[in-house]
Amino acid sequence: RGQGTFAAVARRSELDAALVDLARDAGAEVRTGHDLLGAAAGSDGVVLDVAGTGPVHAAWAIGADGIWSTLRRCLGEQLGDYRGDWHAFRQYVADVSEPARTELMIWFDADLLPGYAWSFPLADGTVNFGFGILRGSHLDGASMSRRWEDLLDRPHIRAFIGADARPIGRRKAWPIPTRLPGPSLSATNTLFVGDAAALGDPMTGEGIGQALGSGMAAARAIIDHAGAPTAARDAYGRWVAEILEPDVRMANLLSRALRHRKGARAAIATAGLTPWTRRNFARWLFEDEPRGVLFTPKRLHRDFLRRDGTFRGVSK
């Protein structure tokens, strides 16, 4: 109470556009519609073959281009036939119930474990509805599609979403890479961040937070060690090892419990004991600090479970 809002939900297109605007406002030259066609190590950096522009000589490149990174492939750092560790389905849904317009809901249905289904409310009254599952589990591609078809009509989900709820727009599915340690984090004068480095969370499938954090860390490593490529790569690697890897180890332990119905029931029962446990269970799901602190004691501080919400004081 009085701590502000801890989470906000936005369409991915709006989030991406806002990030591009921030970069542009900070002085970045933003070029859209220019595909990366090739890349090679240069004498003092990286040479990028950019469509419609020609060769671009850069001291550094950051690969933030997803699980099948074009930059990684061009530099000979392929991931082979890797298709991610999780798979997610998502579609927007309109005409939802009043509770669905304001409440964030997660369902741990037995046939999805250790995955889950979700309903995230958006400001325009629609919801982001979908589910994520572990690839290579008891669900193959065909059964994933069938599961999607009946998900909205499951009684407990329909009761929350509302009898008139209807899907709108395109249905989308995508792979989620959660393989840390895994692919190389760097090549010659190049650092890979986010999904291009398979930095997703192995318990929740979350990847945007890791993408933003690793992008900031990569930029800081380059700024601090601009003329020393080895030092920059080492600094970035240390950040990933010290900040992300402990959280991944904890997430892997929790995921083992959520793979089974009894483990999921025990976790949910424990989380729901008191208002304090409910609030901090949500933080354990969506924030890395409360989980990672168990493996990285230096992150422990007096207010690590009592901080204000991110959006405290922000007008709506």
Side-chain angles (χ1 to χ4, degrees):
R1 295 177 181 270
Q3 288 185 288
T5 301
F6 282 83
V9 183
R11 293 177 184 270
R12 179 61 186 272
S13 57
E14 295 171 353
L15 173 65
D16 289 354
L19 292 173
V20 171
D21 288 343
L22 286 172
R24 185 184 290 110
D25 293 344
E29 179 183 347
V30 178
R31 299 185 182 183
T32 60
H34 296 276
D35 292 345
L36 178 65
L37 303 177
S43 57
D44 57 351
V46 184
V47 180
L48 307 172
D49 182 8
V50 180
T53 301
V56 174
H57 296 262
W60 283 91
I62 295 180
D65 48 350
I67 181 174
W68 292 299
S69 167
T70 301
L71 181 60
R72 180 182 286 278
R73 185 181 70 251
C74 291
L75 293 175
E77 297 282 336
Q78 294 98 327
L79 294 181
D81 60 354
Y82 178 57
R83 295 188 176 185
D85 300 286
W86 285 76
H87 207 80
F89 288 73
R90 189 269 296 159
Q91 190 168 16
Y92 292 116
V93 177
D95 297 332
V96 299
S97 67
E98 284 300 319
R101 290 172 178 262
T102 58
E103 297 179 15
L104 184 152
M105 182 69 74
I106 296 174
W107 295 276
F108 294 98
D109 282 20
D111 60 334
L112 301 179
L113 296 176
Y116 56 93
W118 67 78
S119 174
F120 297 161
L122 292 158
D124 62 3
T126 63
V127 302
N128 175 331
F129 178 82
F131 76 101
I133 54 174
L134 188 64
R135 182 181 290 278
S137 61
H138 53 286
L139 299 178
D140 57 20
S143 61
M144 280 189 248
S145 297
R146 290 193 298 270
R147 204 59 46 97
W148 173 258
E149 295 296 338
D150 79 356
L151 201 60
L152 264 180
D153 290 326
R154 297 186 181 190
H156 59 289
I157 292 179
R158 178 59 72 173
F160 175 77
I161 294 290
D164 298 326
R166 57 184 178 83
I168 58 174
R170 291 179 55 197
R171 177 189 308 171
K172 293 188 176 181
W174 68 98
I176 300 175
T178 61
R179 189 161 293 188
L180 179 68
S184 60
L185 298 173
S186 62
T188 304
N189 287 67
T190 299
L191 301 177
F192 298 105
V193 303
D195 280 6
L199 299 181
D201 187 296
M203 185 180 78
T204 65
E206 157 67 10
I208 294 177
Q210 290 84 343
L212 293 173
S214 59
M216 294 166 66
R220 175 54 55 191
I222 293 171
I223 291 170
D224 291 346
H225 307 282
T230 299
R233 291 195 298 268
D234 290 346
Y236 177 57
R238 284 195 300 273
W239 182 88
V240 172
E242 294 175 3
I243 300 301
L244 294 187
E245 287 191 19
D247 187 44
V248 166
R249 289 198 294 272
M250 185 64 189
N252 281 326
L253 287 175
L254 294 174
S255 293
R256 293 177 187 174
L258 292 175
R259 286 174 185 265
H260 307 286
R261 190 177 307 184
K262 289 183 178 179
R265 285 177 175 170
I268 294 171
T270 301
L273 288 175
T274 69
W276 187 91
T277 60
R278 286 194 293 272
R279 181 173 65 252
N280 285 291
F281 176 70
R283 292 193 61 195
W284 271 59
L285 276 176
F286 297 112
E287 299 181 30
D288 68 324
E289 186 177 79
R291 281 186 279 145
V293 73
L294 296 182
F295 285 90
T296 49
K298 69 179 183 180
R299 298 162 84 181
L300 181 63
H301 52 85
R302 178 176 297 178
D303 295 323
F304 90 103
L305 284 179
R306 296 187 299 177
R307 289 184 307 176
D308 290 337
T310 300
F311 300 97
R312 184 177 186 185
V314 177
S315 60
K316 296 183 179 179

